[in-house]
Amino acid sequence: MSNLTLLNEIAATDRTFQRVGDQWIGKCLICRAPLRFDAGSGEGATVEHILPRSAGGSNDLHNLGLTHPACNWEKGRNWDSKKASRRRADPQKYAALLDRLLVERQQRWRDPLPLAASIPLPMQEEVTILTGRKGRQAASDVDATQEASRD
């Protein structure tokens, strides 16, 4: 799975993230500050392995979060590495950090959004298939047309 696909899948399962145009906007898992990234390139965010792969962590979505590149780097360098000074100096504090991030990810969890829900619809769309009538109309009108045809 590509890193870009992974970024988009994590965002789709994190309730702090909303898709706005070609951007995902939510909160960094580590510092909780606003985080925005480009859904097409992934620029602006990194994948955080809460329990690092070097410690047996996996690519399971429950073990992954979205972070600022600097936050991910700081955690990796100062905490995740087996040589990290903070981890060696205070293993209980490292365990507490991992617990906090796992709990935070669990609290943010939402079932993956359907693909259509995460992709903004154009203002107008072809409605031939939906209504059986040829033409273009606003996406909001499609719902009203479908509702009226059910009555």
Side-chain angles (χ1 to χ4, degrees), residues 1 5 16 20-21 24 34 41 55-56 68 70 78 87 97 118 121 123-124 130-132 139 146 150-151:
M1 177 179 309
T5 301
T16 70
V20 180
W24 280 102
S41 70
H68 297 108
N78 295 310
R87 181 177 182 178
L97 171 64
S118 66
L121 293 174
M123 271 308 285
Q124 300 214 346
L130 297 174
T131 65
Q146 287 174 334
R150 286 187 208 129
D151 295 336

Side-chain angles (χ1 to χ4, degrees), residues 2 27-28 37 47 63 77 82 95 100 103 106 112 125 138:
S2 76
K27 292 184 179 181
C28 174
F37 75 93
V47 174
N63 186 51
R77 183 171 189 274
K82 291 179 182 179
R100 179 184 75 79
V103 167
Q106 183 179 14
E125 65 184 31

Side-chain angles (χ1 to χ4, degrees), residues 25-88:
I25 301 171
K27 292 184 179 181
C28 174
L29 182 66
I30 294 174
C31 74
R32 299 179 180 135
L35 174 63
R36 173 187 298 250
F37 75 93
D38 185 279
S41 70
E43 188 174 332
T46 57
V47 174
E48 164 62 28
H49 288 80
I50 298 168
L51 179 62
R53 290 176 289 181
S54 62
S58 71
N59 275 344
D60 180 84
L61 289 172
H62 291 89
N63 186 51
L64 302 174
L66 297 173
T67 64
H68 297 108
C71 293
N72 193 332
W73 181 84
E74 192 276 334
K75 178 179 174 277
R77 183 171 189 274
N78 295 310
W79 291 101
D80 291 340
S81 165
K82 291 179 182 179
K83 297 177 184 177
S85 59
R86 290 184 188 176
R87 181 177 182 178
R88 285 194 321 260

